[in-house]
Amino acid sequence: MLDVTFKDYLLTPATAAYLARQHGLMIDGQSVAALSGKRKAIYDPASEEEITTVAESGAEDVDLAVRAARAAFEGAWAKVTPSQRGRILNRIADLIEANGDELAELECLNSGKPLQFCRNVDIYGVADMFRYMAGWATKITGDTHNPSMPGEWHAYTLRQPVGVVGQILPWNFPMNMAAWKIAPALAAGCTIVLKPAEATPLTALRIAELALEAGLPAGVLNVVTGKGSIIGDAITNHPGIDKVAFTGSTEVGKHIARSCVSSNLKKVSLELGGKSPVIVFPDADIDAAVAGIAGSIFFHAGQVCAAGSRLYVHDKVYDRVVEAVAARAKALKVGPGMLPGHDLGPVISRAQHESVMSYIEKGRGEGAEVVTGGRSLGQKGYFIEPTVLANTGPGMTVHDEEIFGPVLCAMRFDEEDLAGIAARANASPYGLSSSVWTRDISVAHRLAKMIQSGIVNVNAHTSPDASLPYGGYKQSGWGRERGAEVLDLYTQIKAVAVKLA
């Protein structure tokens, strides 16, 4: 069912009440208006209708948030013990689950992702991230050392919180990315100025309220909403911020890195774009591979940085795999995520819709075969058919660039040399994720070493576990989120050397 209106949705009372509120910025534990008094409309990408408004902050609001975060870092939050931090994170997880229906509906309305995924997958993953990081709060330690300098020494290291962190979120997974950023920073003892994506701020604001309810001191988690070009620059250039963590496009990531260097040389971590390869060998479980391929590229309308958008299939099974993936694509039901029975929702905005459709047209113009899909759907909302393109290859725009939509580029290979296969997979400026489909354990492990990506999945394309580090090679970013490795982003090492004699 396409061309719906916002009135067609059956919202829970909690969600309806939340949308009716006058949403402010979260600064120093209070919901406050932007100093300018400006507000910004938030839209449902399925109906194109306004669903609520939020405060539109400016640089002066960011400054207030930074001051609140600094005061908390040097004051109340510094007195909270690691075990107390862990208990607060666990209580946040409990409250996320208790308010799961409301959070899932807000995420669905704001991002367009089907409600069943928001409720059954996202809520679990968000709560799990907070619980996982709660366990790390008491396990952030230094080491003792045995120097070889003349004399008698006692030497050790301290691992301490980096300070006030600015966190800038993307629009595709607002709630998940908030958890990936907030939970480790709190576990490490940092304070936060969080900037949700301009189009999708609702769940970040709600999580900040739940964090206060869980006992987080005022000023530890501050949320500023509004235009990325204004607030993002205010965060990256602010001398009171010690570190910036960003998830988003490679182009914007490069701009943020330059700003962080030119301001006060603040630390920066970047989780950026991808053009992830999927490699299918003839001995693979073809049914499982087809399901994994389709799920990877079409989930959330392809708006996933790790989406398996470059498909390499051995010539022996190429026709079978591509035909089966195309059949799955045709069977997927596209429509508003708030209504049941839909597998794909809309892309986030008119601009994103136009971008994806232009890529499809470029693909046609460069000689790609549209096996299925390729059309815009409906008169309202930003819906696009799941699309499979064949006869693609290096040098074609659809092959080389990140589309960030439900568009798969399929290619054959007949090489038996794994180095040659890896070279094709690695022929990209990106290196975020990848997958290998085979029953041959030797092939799987050998190829996993050769592929240049932050994560290599075997007989799956996604592995969304809080314990696994996530990040990219090459232009897919700096640093790793999730896992124990994320603590490196929010802590710094201090060496202490005491001469005893």
Side-chain angles (χ1 to χ4, degrees):
M1 178 181 177
L2 299 173
D3 302 330
V4 299
T5 68
F6 186 66
K7 294 179 180 179
D8 293 320
Y9 305 149
L10 297 175
L11 303 178
T12 61
T15 303
Y18 185 81
L19 293 175
R21 285 166 49 185
Q22 187 87 347
H23 302 289
L25 313 174
M26 178 62 74
I27 298 178
D28 203 17
Q30 300 292 322
S31 179
V32 298
L35 291 175
S36 67
K38 292 181 180 179
R39 301 195 63 77
K40 176 175 175 54
I42 302 300
Y43 295 91
D44 163 30
S47 67
E48 303 184 42
E49 294 181 30
E50 179 181 319
I51 57 175
T52 191
T53 65
V54 298
E56 186 173 333
S57 56
E60 64 276 13
D61 300 296
V62 171
D63 184 62
L64 290 177
V66 173
R67 291 175 185 273
R70 178 62 61 188
F73 180 72
E74 296 175 354
W77 191 232
K79 298 178 176 65
V80 176
T81 67
S83 63
Q84 289 171 329
R85 294 202 302 268
R87 287 196 291 272
I88 290 171
L89 287 166
N90 274 318
R91 286 197 292 270
I92 293 173
D94 292 341
L95 287 169
I96 285 168
E97 289 182 333
N99 294 273
D101 289 340
E102 176 192 356
L103 286 167
E105 287 187 347
L106 291 175
E107 189 82 340
C108 173
L109 286 168
N110 212 174
S111 71
K113 190 194 309 178
L115 180 61
Q116 66 266 26
F117 292 110
C118 298
R119 188 64 184 90
N120 300 330
V121 179
D122 286 356
I123 296 300
Y124 167 80
V126 170
D128 189 55
M129 179 59 69
F130 278 98
R131 291 201 176 100
Y132 175 80
M133 295 313 306
W136 273 110
T138 55
K139 301 170 185 65
I140 300 172
T141 61
D143 297 302
T144 56
H145 292 257
N146 187 22
S148 297
M149 298 179 290
E152 187 175 347
W153 294 81
H154 174 53
Y156 58 95
T157 58
L158 297 173
R159 185 179 285 268
Q160 298 179 312
V162 74
V164 176
V165 298
Q167 299 180 325
I168 303 174
L169 306 183
W171 47 257
N172 58 336
F173 288 93
M175 188 163 49
N176 277 279
M177 294 299 100
W180 284 26
K181 297 280 192 295
I182 295 168
L186 296 183
C190 297
T191 57
I192 301 166
V193 176
L194 182 78
K195 183 214 156 309
E198 184 176 342
T200 56
L202 299 182
T203 47
L205 287 168
R206 187 69 181 106
I207 287 172
E209 294 177 347
L210 295 177
L212 289 171
E213 186 178 337
L216 193 70
V220 175
L221 174 57
N222 306 275
V223 182
V224 287
T225 55
K227 293 180 179 178
S229 58
I230 295 174
I231 312 172
D233 282 350
I235 288 173
T236 57
N237 290 314
H238 200 292
I241 288 182
D242 303 300
K243 180 255 180 342
V244 169
F246 170 75
T247 297
S249 72
T250 297
E251 180 183 0
V252 175
K254 290 178 179 179
H255 170 74
I256 285 173
R258 288 190 292 267
S259 296
C260 289
V261 168
S262 63
S263 56
N264 60 339
L265 203 63
K266 57 175 62 69
K267 295 173 174 59
V268 61
S269 56
L270 306 168
E271 196 264 281
L272 306 176
K275 191 72 178 178
S276 300
V278 179
I279 304 169
V280 183
F281 288 89
D283 68 332
D285 180 333
I286 299 301
D287 291 340
V290 167
I293 294 161
S296 169
I297 188 60
F298 301 134
F299 173 65
H300 196 15
Q303 299 170 117
V304 183
C305 51
S309 52
R310 286 186 294 143
L311 175 62
Y312 300 93
V313 187
H314 194 281
D315 192 63
K316 292 180 180 178
V317 292
Y318 174 87
D319 290 337
R320 177 182 170 190
V321 169
V322 171
E323 288 172 8
V325 172
R328 276 185 172 264
K330 290 177 184 177
L332 293 171
K333 293 181 172 56
V334 181
M338 281 297 297
L339 299 182
H342 293 142
D343 304 299
L344 267 74
V347 297
I348 190 66
S349 65
R350 182 176 303 279
Q352 187 64 18
H353 181 275
E354 290 174 354
S355 174
V356 174
M357 292 307 300
S358 71
Y359 271 111
I360 294 172
E361 290 309 308
K362 286 178 184 176
R364 283 192 175 102
E366 293 173 348
E369 174 195 353
V370 180
V371 180
T372 189
R375 297 182 303 164
S376 175
L377 297 174
Q379 300 301 312
K380 292 176 61 178
Y382 311 121
F383 300 100
I384 298 173
E385 282 184 319
T387 301
V388 177
L389 303 178
N391 298 331
T392 63
M396 297 175 67
T397 307
V398 289
H399 172 278
D400 296 347
E401 297 183 11
E402 184 179 35
I403 299 174
F404 224 63
V407 182
L408 177 67
C409 297
M411 291 153 282
R412 301 173 184 267
F413 73 89
D414 56 12
E415 300 101 314
E416 301 300 330
D417 173 40
L418 294 186
I421 298 169
R424 294 185 66 179
N426 294 336
S428 169
Y430 301 108
L432 185 58
S433 183
S434 58
S435 62
V436 178
W437 298 81
T438 179
R439 289 187 173 97
D440 189 324
I441 192 169
S442 176
V443 167
H445 285 294
R446 290 169 61 204
L447 200 52
K449 288 183 179 180
M450 297 178 189
I451 294 175
Q452 297 168 352
S453 69
I455 189 163
V456 180
N457 296 289
V458 177
N459 296 328
H461 190 78
T462 58
S463 46
D465 192 272
S467 69
L468 290 173
Y470 185 87
Y473 281 39
K474 300 184 283 188
Q475 293 189 42
S476 287
W478 295 342
R480 294 295 182 270
E481 297 193 313
R482 300 190 322 200
E485 289 78 2
V486 71
L487 296 171
D488 293 335
L489 305 184
Y490 297 104
T491 58
Q492 51 192 349
I493 301 294
K494 177 186 290 181
V496 180
V498 182
K499 189 171 185 181
L500 303 177

